[in-house]
Amino acid sequence: MLRFASFYTSPDAKADAEPTYNPFDSISSLIQQFVYLTSLFFLIARGKTSVRVALRDPLVWTLPILTMLSFLWSDFPDISLRKGITTLQTTYFGLYVASRFTIKQQLQMLGWVLGITAVFSFFFTLAFPGVAIEAGANAGSWRGPFTQKNLLARLMVLGAIVFLLLALDRPKSPKLLWGGFGICVLMVILTGSKTALLLLFTIIILLPFYKLLRAKDTIIIPAIVGLIIIGSSVITFVTENWLTILAALGRDATLSGRTTLWEVALEKISERFWLGYGYQSFWLDGGGAMIIWKIEGYKPPHAHNGFINMALDLGVIGLFLFLTILLVNYIRSIIWLRIGKTVTDLWPIFYITFFFMYNHSENTIIEHNSIFWSLLVTVSLSMRRVKLVKRQITAPELLNSQPPINSG
């Protein structure tokens, strides 16, 4: 947000214009490095605690390590190494937050950050509509100080989830939190993002079912949850890509859209199946995306699908690691939910759901300087390992008991 990127980026996403120099990039970079260095200092100062928290989920570290190593086979080794190092920094910042703050404290801080972002974006757009409202194919969509409407929409969906959980947790100032939820929902609507609206609607539908996971030991609730997530994913995909689907069915040969992009991207994946093209190297001038840009007629910055993008960057090995991380943490989040007592204990399972579903149409998996990857790391490492006492207890007693927590 502090980069005021909309001042320096065309409001038409398909306008193939050269990037404009942004003087705020240097300031933003300095702030980021200060945050990373400060986080590293505190992690080292509390070394034993940091290591103990980092080992709560060793698997989550495999992906950033792979991004760093990808310079060995990257077409642009310097860029892959530099951005891989930044991704590792983004990851250990997530470790610092997990080791220092409880989940409720994390939500409260996120509420402040995302609430300020929502209010600032609203007034920024009113003040500078010429740059903050998109033109071209997405004319009328609000993007605020960001480069694209979907970036703002993604943050506002996240903000809505945070404010919803905080507002339901019996706060002292519920009106303020419901107000934060309301402005986030309003901003989602103003961005015109169908994906964001569908995901927000899905989250609201899932809320009572996730609560029932805590109270009911039955296969029916997980089955319903699975159907809702799968159904919402399909609806999101169809809604976001209906023109593409028509083209694929031969209804309109001129509407190639993402069909061509994904078709060529999958072909490029098959050429470097196991390890990909190197982290952040595919979508660069002179990289593998050149043929896609030529066919599309403009320069999309990613594959509009996080899973395809992951396979392009880090191959099938990287994609497998990511899906494994997500599945393991989804199971852990269910366990965490069932032993928890508060509404805020729903945060891990909601965030993992959000993270998974958004990658059907956007690239939100692992990015340097990304709040989304950092939050996934934080969520993963905030859930302590749990171990049930080995004694003879009945099933109902087990469900109603609070198992001891192993802080490791």
Side-chain angles (χ1 to χ4, degrees), residues 186-320:
L186 174 63
M187 292 304 293
V188 169
I189 295 171
L190 292 173
T191 64
S193 172
K194 297 181 290 294
T195 299
L197 279 172
L198 285 167
L199 180 53
L200 182 58
F201 184 63
T202 301
I203 292 295
I204 294 173
I205 291 177
L206 283 173
L207 179 60
F209 290 103
Y210 278 154
K211 284 185 174 181
L212 284 175
L213 280 177
R214 173 180 289 167
K216 301 288 185 180
D217 184 25
T218 172
I219 193 64
I220 297 177
I221 302 303
I224 293 174
V225 168
L227 287 174
I228 292 173
I229 293 175
I230 293 171
S232 299
S233 299
V234 171
I235 293 172
T236 301
F237 179 83
V238 171
T239 303
E240 192 72 18
N241 302 284
W242 71 275
L243 295 178
T244 299
I245 294 169
L246 286 179
L249 295 174
R251 295 289 298 275
D252 187 339
T254 65
L255 299 175
S256 57
R258 294 177 186 174
T259 301
T260 305
L261 190 157
W262 289 337
E263 181 180 349
V264 178
L266 291 173
E267 289 178 3
K268 300 299 287 185
I269 290 172
S270 66
E271 293 175 10
R272 298 194 185 181
F273 186 74
W274 295 110
L275 294 172
Y277 291 80
Y279 183 56
Q280 298 281 308
S281 71
F282 184 82
W283 302 95
L284 296 175
D285 285 326
M290 296 294 289
I291 185 172
I292 294 178
W293 291 345
K294 183 177 180 180
I295 293 172
E296 291 294 303
Y298 78 109
K299 294 183 177 181
H302 52 73
H304 294 286
N305 182 286
F307 306 106
I308 292 177
N309 222 68
M310 172 63 72
L312 287 168
D313 275 356
L314 301 174
V316 172
I317 291 177
L319 180 59
F320 174 78

